[in-house]
């Protein structure tokens, strides 16, 4: 295993997986977030009627541009407690994977789905 790889997490029960609420939402707004400690964008994401509109700080500035984010569907954990990131409360954890250089690439859907859909 190279230094860049991470060992697999321990085996968990399916019920533990179901505790993590991962939903799909559409980015309504993407703005620079210069107050963040690491380069990030401030995202406003619509997760549908049941969850509503949430804010997220996302460290995706290397592989994504502000212009390409609005209207894009993303996946996020919606049931972590909000986290204070500089002057904003990040309400959801937007999901992505590291590329070969360690830069975050957003997790993507192959087809559009309704906002608020849960990963299973």
């Amino acid at each position: 295993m190279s230094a860049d790889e991470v060992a697999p997490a321990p085996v968990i029960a399916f019920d533990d997986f179901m505790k993590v609420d991962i939903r799909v939402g559409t980015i309504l707004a993407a703005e620079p977030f210069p107050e963040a400690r690491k380069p990030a964008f401030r995202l406003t994401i619509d997760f549908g009627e049941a969850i509503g509109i949430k804010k997220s700080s996302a460290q995706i500035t290397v592989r994504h541009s502000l212009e390409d984010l609005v209207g894009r569907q993303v996946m996020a954990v919606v049931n972590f407690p909000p986290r204070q990131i500089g002057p904003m409360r990040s309400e959801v954890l937007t999901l992505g994977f590291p590329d070969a250089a360690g830069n975050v690439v957003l997790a993507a859907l192959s087809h559009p789905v309704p906002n608020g859909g849960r990963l299973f």
Side-chain angles (χ1 to χ4, degrees), residues 104-117:
V104 180
V105 177
L106 287 170
L109 301 164
S110 59
H111 300 285
V113 297
N115 287 338

Side-chain angles (χ1 to χ4, degrees), residues 55-103:
K55 304 272 188 202
S56 180
S57 171
Q59 296 173 2
I60 57 173
T61 60
V62 174
R63 300 287 296 183
H64 299 280
S65 67
L66 290 171
E67 298 78 27
D68 295 333
L69 292 171
V70 174
R72 181 181 180 138
Q73 286 195 300
V74 294
M75 290 172 263
V77 176
V78 299
N79 66 332
F80 284 157
R83 188 168 177 197
Q84 194 70 35
I85 310 285
M88 83 170 273
R89 280 177 68 87
S90 187
E91 301 171 297
V92 299
L93 175 64
T94 305
L95 301 176
F97 296 93
D99 66 12
N103 301 307

Side-chain angles (χ1 to χ4, degrees), residues 43-55:
L43 305 178
T44 303
I45 307 169
D46 181 0
F47 289 97
E49 191 173 319
I51 296 169
I53 296 172
K54 301 291 183 182
K55 304 272 188 202

